[in-house]
mmCIF file with all atom_site columns, all heavy atoms in Angstrom:
data_model
loop_
_atom_site.group_PDB
_atom_site.id
_atom_site.type_symbol
_atom_site.label_atom_id
_atom_site.label_alt_id
_atom_site.label_comp_id
_atom_site.label_asym_id
_atom_site.label_entity_id
_atom_site.label_seq_id
_atom_site.pdbx_PDB_ins_code
_atom_site.Cartn_x
_atom_site.Cartn_y
_atom_site.Cartn_z
_atom_site.occupancy
_atom_site.B_iso_or_equiv
_atom_site.pdbx_formal_charge
_atom_site.auth_seq_id
_atom_site.auth_comp_id
_atom_site.auth_asym_id
_atom_site.auth_atom_id
_atom_site.pdbx_PDB_model_num
ATOM 1   N N   . ASP A 1 143 ? 106.554 77.434 70.505 1.00 0.00 ? 172 ASP A N   1
ATOM 2   C CA  . ASP A 1 143 ? 106.855 77.239 71.927 1.00 0.00 ? 172 ASP A CA  1
ATOM 3   C C   . ASP A 1 143 ? 106.307 78.395 72.760 1.00 0.00 ? 172 ASP A C   1
ATOM 4   O O   . ASP A 1 143 ? 105.789 78.187 73.867 1.00 0.00 ? 172 ASP A O   1
ATOM 5   C CB  . ASP A 1 143 ? 108.362 77.118 72.134 1.00 0.00 ? 172 ASP A CB  1
ATOM 6   C CG  . ASP A 1 143 ? 108.917 75.805 71.595 1.00 0.00 ? 172 ASP A CG  1
ATOM 7   O OD1 . ASP A 1 143 ? 108.113 74.871 71.416 1.00 0.00 ? 172 ASP A OD1 1
ATOM 8   O OD2 . ASP A 1 143 ? 110.129 75.736 71.352 1.00 0.00 ? 172 ASP A OD2 1
ATOM 9   N N   . ILE A 1 144 ? 106.425 79.628 72.236 1.00 0.00 ? 173 ILE A N   1
ATOM 10  C CA  . ILE A 1 144 ? 105.886 80.781 72.961 1.00 0.00 ? 173 ILE A CA  1
ATOM 11  C C   . ILE A 1 144 ? 104.372 80.672 73.044 1.00 0.00 ? 173 ILE A C   1
ATOM 12  O O   . ILE A 1 144 ? 103.772 80.914 74.114 1.00 0.00 ? 173 ILE A O   1
ATOM 13  C CB  . ILE A 1 144 ? 106.290 82.094 72.272 1.00 0.00 ? 173 ILE A CB  1
ATOM 14  C CG1 . ILE A 1 144 ? 107.812 82.285 72.316 1.00 0.00 ? 173 ILE A CG1 1
ATOM 15  C CG2 . ILE A 1 144 ? 105.601 83.288 72.936 1.00 0.00 ? 173 ILE A CG2 1
ATOM 16  C CD1 . ILE A 1 144 ? 108.301 83.529 71.643 1.00 0.00 ? 173 ILE A CD1 1
ATOM 17  N N   . ARG A 1 145 ? 103.737 80.300 71.958 1.00 0.00 ? 174 ARG A N   1
ATOM 18  C CA  . ARG A 1 145 ? 102.281 80.182 71.963 1.00 0.00 ? 174 ARG A CA  1
ATOM 19  C C   . ARG A 1 145 ? 101.836 79.103 72.947 1.00 0.00 ? 174 ARG A C   1
ATOM 20  O O   . ARG A 1 145 ? 100.878 79.281 73.694 1.00 0.00 ? 174 ARG A O   1
ATOM 21  C CB  . ARG A 1 145 ? 101.770 79.852 70.563 1.00 0.00 ? 174 ARG A CB  1
ATOM 22  C CG  . ARG A 1 145 ? 101.971 80.970 69.549 1.00 0.00 ? 174 ARG A CG  1
ATOM 23  C CD  . ARG A 1 145 ? 101.165 80.696 68.291 1.00 0.00 ? 174 ARG A CD  1
ATOM 24  N NE  . ARG A 1 145 ? 99.737  80.644 68.603 1.00 0.00 ? 174 ARG A NE  1
ATOM 25  C CZ  . ARG A 1 145 ? 98.824  80.081 67.821 1.00 0.00 ? 174 ARG A CZ  1
ATOM 26  N NH1 . ARG A 1 145 ? 99.184  79.517 66.689 1.00 0.00 ? 174 ARG A NH1 1
ATOM 27  N NH2 . ARG A 1 145 ? 97.560  80.074 68.178 1.00 0.00 ? 174 ARG A NH2 1
ATOM 28  N N   . SER A 1 146 ? 102.539 77.992 72.969 1.00 0.00 ? 175 SER A N   1
ATOM 29  C CA  . SER A 1 146 ? 102.193 76.890 73.873 1.00 0.00 ? 175 SER A CA  1
ATOM 30  C C   . SER A 1 146 ? 102.320 77.304 75.331 1.00 0.00 ? 175 SER A C   1
ATOM 31  O O   . SER A 1 146 ? 101.513 76.894 76.166 1.00 0.00 ? 175 SER A O   1
ATOM 32  C CB  . SER A 1 146 ? 103.093 75.682 73.589 1.00 0.00 ? 175 SER A CB  1
ATOM 33  O OG  . SER A 1 146 ? 102.844 74.643 74.506 1.00 0.00 ? 175 SER A OG  1
ATOM 34  N N   . ALA A 1 147 ? 103.324 78.127 75.631 1.00 0.00 ? 176 ALA A N   1
ATOM 35  C CA  . ALA A 1 147 ? 103.542 78.564 77.017 1.00 0.00 ? 176 ALA A CA  1
ATOM 36  C C   . ALA A 1 147 ? 102.570 79.646 77.447 1.00 0.00 ? 176 ALA A C   1
ATOM 37  O O   . ALA A 1 147 ? 102.487 79.961 78.635 1.00 0.00 ? 176 ALA A O   1
ATOM 38  C CB  . ALA A 1 147 ? 104.975 79.070 77.173 1.00 0.00 ? 176 ALA A CB  1
ATOM 39  N N   . ASN A 1 148 ? 101.817 80.219 76.507 1.00 0.00 ? 177 ASN A N   1
ATOM 40  C CA  . ASN A 1 148 ? 100.910 81.323 76.807 1.00 0.00 ? 177 ASN A CA  1
ATOM 41  C C   . ASN A 1 148 ? 99.484  81.034 76.341 1.00 0.00 ? 177 ASN A C   1
ATOM 42  O O   . ASN A 1 148 ? 98.823  81.874 75.747 1.00 0.00 ? 177 ASN A O   1
ATOM 43  C CB  . ASN A 1 148 ? 101.432 82.614 76.165 1.00 0.00 ? 177 ASN A CB  1
ATOM 44  C CG  . ASN A 1 148 ? 102.722 83.085 76.792 1.00 0.00 ? 177 ASN A CG  1
ATOM 45  O OD1 . ASN A 1 148 ? 102.723 83.775 77.802 1.00 0.00 ? 177 ASN A OD1 1
ATOM 46  N ND2 . ASN A 1 148 ? 103.842 82.702 76.192 1.00 0.00 ? 177 ASN A ND2 1
ATOM 47  N N   . HIS A 1 149 ? 99.030  79.833 76.634 1.00 0.00 ? 178 HIS A N   1
ATOM 48  C CA  . HIS A 1 149 ? 97.655  79.446 76.308 1.00 0.00 ? 178 HIS A CA  1
ATOM 49  C C   . HIS A 1 149 ? 97.335  79.652 74.825 1.00 0.00 ? 178 HIS A C   1
ATOM 50  O O   . HIS A 1 149 ? 96.255  80.124 74.469 1.00 0.00 ? 178 HIS A O   1
ATOM 51  C CB  . HIS A 1 149 ? 96.660  80.217 77.180 1.00 0.00 ? 178 HIS A CB  1
ATOM 52  C CG  . HIS A 1 149 ? 96.852  79.976 78.642 1.00 0.00 ? 178 HIS A CG  1
ATOM 53  N ND1 . HIS A 1 149 ? 96.298  78.895 79.301 1.00 0.00 ? 178 HIS A ND1 1
ATOM 54  C CD2 . HIS A 1 149 ? 97.558  80.659 79.586 1.00 0.00 ? 178 HIS A CD2 1
ATOM 55  C CE1 . HIS A 1 149 ? 96.641  78.948 80.579 1.00 0.00 ? 178 HIS A CE1 1
ATOM 56  N NE2 . HIS A 1 149 ? 97.412  79.996 80.773 1.00 0.00 ? 178 HIS A NE2 1
ATOM 57  N N   . ASN A 1 150 ? 98.321  79.313 73.969 1.00 0.00 ? 179 ASN A N   1
ATOM 58  C CA  . ASN A 1 150 ? 98.150  79.416 72.507 1.00 0.00 ? 179 ASN A CA  1
ATOM 59  C C   . ASN A 1 150 ? 97.694  80.810 72.071 1.00 0.00 ? 179 ASN A C   1
ATOM 60  O O   . ASN A 1 150 ? 96.781  80.964 71.253 1.00 0.00 ? 179 ASN A O   1
ATOM 61  C CB  . ASN A 1 150 ? 97.154  78.361 72.015 1.00 0.00 ? 179 ASN A CB  1
ATOM 62  C CG  . ASN A 1 150 ? 97.744  76.966 72.029 1.00 0.00 ? 179 ASN A CG  1
ATOM 63  O OD1 . ASN A 1 150 ? 98.891  76.767 71.635 1.00 0.00 ? 179 ASN A OD1 1
ATOM 64  N ND2 . ASN A 1 150 ? 96.978  76.001 72.520 1.00 0.00 ? 179 ASN A ND2 1
ATOM 65  N N   . VAL A 1 151 ? 98.349  81.821 72.644 1.00 0.00 ? 180 VAL A N   1
ATOM 66  C CA  . VAL A 1 151 ? 98.013  83.196 72.286 1.00 0.00 ? 180 VAL A CA  1
ATOM 67  C C   . VAL A 1 151 ? 98.158  83.389 70.776 1.00 0.00 ? 180 VAL A C   1
ATOM 68  O O   . VAL A 1 151 ? 99.148  82.972 70.165 1.00 0.00 ? 180 VAL A O   1
ATOM 69  C CB  . VAL A 1 151 ? 98.910  84.195 73.051 1.00 0.00 ? 180 VAL A CB  1
ATOM 70  C CG1 . VAL A 1 151 ? 100.378 83.988 72.738 1.00 0.00 ? 180 VAL A CG1 1
ATOM 71  C CG2 . VAL A 1 151 ? 98.504  85.634 72.745 1.00 0.00 ? 180 VAL A CG2 1
ATOM 72  N N   . ALA A 1 152 ? 97.160  84.014 70.157 1.00 0.00 ? 181 ALA A N   1
ATOM 73  C CA  . ALA A 1 152 ? 97.185  84.247 68.716 1.00 0.00 ? 181 ALA A CA  1
ATOM 74  C C   . ALA A 1 152 ? 98.062  85.452 68.394 1.00 0.00 ? 181 ALA A C   1
ATOM 75  O O   . ALA A 1 152 ? 98.105  86.411 69.175 1.00 0.00 ? 181 ALA A O   1
ATOM 76  C CB  . ALA A 1 152 ? 95.765  84.474 68.202 1.00 0.00 ? 181 ALA A CB  1
ATOM 77  N N   . PRO A 1 172 ? 105.042 73.709 80.658 1.00 0.00 ? 201 PRO A N   1
ATOM 78  C CA  . PRO A 1 172 ? 103.943 74.666 80.803 1.00 0.00 ? 201 PRO A CA  1
ATOM 79  C C   . PRO A 1 172 ? 102.806 74.144 81.660 1.00 0.00 ? 201 PRO A C   1
ATOM 80  O O   . PRO A 1 172 ? 102.121 74.902 82.328 1.00 0.00 ? 201 PRO A O   1
ATOM 81  C CB  . PRO A 1 172 ? 103.484 74.910 79.358 1.00 0.00 ? 201 PRO A CB  1
ATOM 82  C CG  . PRO A 1 172 ? 103.980 73.731 78.586 1.00 0.00 ? 201 PRO A CG  1
ATOM 83  C CD  . PRO A 1 172 ? 105.243 73.307 79.264 1.00 0.00 ? 201 PRO A CD  1
ATOM 84  N N   . ALA A 1 176 ? 101.491 76.239 84.752 1.00 0.00 ? 205 ALA A N   1
ATOM 85  C CA  . ALA A 1 176 ? 100.112 76.693 84.653 1.00 0.00 ? 205 ALA A CA  1
ATOM 86  C C   . ALA A 1 176 ? 99.291  76.241 85.835 1.00 0.00 ? 205 ALA A C   1
ATOM 87  O O   . ALA A 1 176 ? 98.350  76.920 86.261 1.00 0.00 ? 205 ALA A O   1
ATOM 88  C CB  . ALA A 1 176 ? 99.485  76.188 83.360 1.00 0.00 ? 205 ALA A CB  1
ATOM 89  N N   . GLU A 1 179 ? 98.993  78.892 88.576 1.00 0.00 ? 208 GLU A N   1
ATOM 90  C CA  . GLU A 1 179 ? 98.549  80.212 88.144 1.00 0.00 ? 208 GLU A CA  1
ATOM 91  C C   . GLU A 1 179 ? 99.738  81.108 87.816 1.00 0.00 ? 208 GLU A C   1
ATOM 92  O O   . GLU A 1 179 ? 99.902  82.206 88.336 1.00 0.00 ? 208 GLU A O   1
ATOM 93  C CB  . GLU A 1 179 ? 97.679  80.884 89.211 1.00 0.00 ? 208 GLU A CB  1
ATOM 94  C CG  . GLU A 1 179 ? 96.391  80.137 89.456 1.00 0.00 ? 208 GLU A CG  1
ATOM 95  C CD  . GLU A 1 179 ? 95.498  80.848 90.434 1.00 0.00 ? 208 GLU A CD  1
ATOM 96  O OE1 . GLU A 1 179 ? 95.741  82.024 90.732 1.00 0.00 ? 208 GLU A OE1 1
ATOM 97  O OE2 . GLU A 1 179 ? 94.554  80.220 90.909 1.00 0.00 ? 208 GLU A OE2 1
ATOM 98  N N   . THR A 1 180 ? 100.604 80.625 86.944 1.00 0.00 ? 209 THR A N   1
ATOM 99  C CA  . THR A 1 180 ? 101.735 81.419 86.490 1.00 0.00 ? 209 THR A CA  1
ATOM 100 C C   . THR A 1 180 ? 101.236 82.659 85.750 1.00 0.00 ? 209 THR A C   1
ATOM 101 O O   . THR A 1 180 ? 100.080 82.704 85.345 1.00 0.00 ? 209 THR A O   1
ATOM 102 C CB  . THR A 1 180 ? 102.624 80.570 85.569 1.00 0.00 ? 209 THR A CB  1
ATOM 103 O OG1 . THR A 1 180 ? 103.835 81.262 85.307 1.00 0.00 ? 209 THR A OG1 1
ATOM 104 C CG2 . THR A 1 180 ? 101.966 80.257 84.266 1.00 0.00 ? 209 THR A CG2 1
ATOM 105 N N   . PRO A 1 181 ? 102.072 83.688 85.581 1.00 0.00 ? 210 PRO A N   1
ATOM 106 C CA  . PRO A 1 181 ? 101.606 84.912 84.934 1.00 0.00 ? 210 PRO A CA  1
ATOM 107 C C   . PRO A 1 181 ? 100.909 84.649 83.605 1.00 0.00 ? 210 PRO A C   1
ATOM 108 O O   . PRO A 1 181 ? 101.447 83.977 82.742 1.00 0.00 ? 210 PRO A O   1
ATOM 109 C CB  . PRO A 1 181 ? 102.900 85.705 84.733 1.00 0.00 ? 210 PRO A CB  1
ATOM 110 C CG  . PRO A 1 181 ? 103.800 85.214 85.816 1.00 0.00 ? 210 PRO A CG  1
ATOM 111 C CD  . PRO A 1 181 ? 103.457 83.767 86.012 1.00 0.00 ? 210 PRO A CD  1
ATOM 112 N N   . VAL A 1 182 ? 99.735  85.177 83.429 1.00 0.00 ? 211 VAL A N   1
ATOM 113 C CA  . VAL A 1 182 ? 98.962  84.997 82.204 1.00 0.00 ? 211 VAL A CA  1
ATOM 114 C C   . VAL A 1 182 ? 98.591  86.361 81.651 1.00 0.00 ? 211 VAL A C   1
ATOM 115 O O   . VAL A 1 182 ? 98.019  87.184 82.351 1.00 0.00 ? 211 VAL A O   1
ATOM 116 C CB  . VAL A 1 182 ? 97.673  84.183 82.485 1.00 0.00 ? 211 VAL A CB  1
ATOM 117 C CG1 . VAL A 1 182 ? 96.836  84.094 81.215 1.00 0.00 ? 211 VAL A CG1 1
ATOM 118 C CG2 . VAL A 1 182 ? 98.037  82.789 82.970 1.00 0.00 ? 211 VAL A CG2 1
ATOM 119 N N   . ALA A 1 183 ? 98.933  86.621 80.398 1.00 0.00 ? 212 ALA A N   1
ATOM 120 C CA  . ALA A 1 183 ? 98.606  87.911 79.796 1.00 0.00 ? 212 ALA A CA  1
ATOM 121 C C   . ALA A 1 183 ? 97.108  88.006 79.562 1.00 0.00 ? 212 ALA A C   1
ATOM 122 O O   . ALA A 1 183 ? 96.492  87.075 79.075 1.00 0.00 ? 212 ALA A O   1
ATOM 123 C CB  . ALA A 1 183 ? 99.356  88.061 78.473 1.00 0.00 ? 212 ALA A CB  1
#
Side-chain angles (χ1 to χ4, degrees):
D172 289 340
I173 296 179
R174 293 193 62 199
S175 176
N177 293 275
H178 300 276
N179 287 317
V180 60
E208 296 184 14
T209 190
V211 176

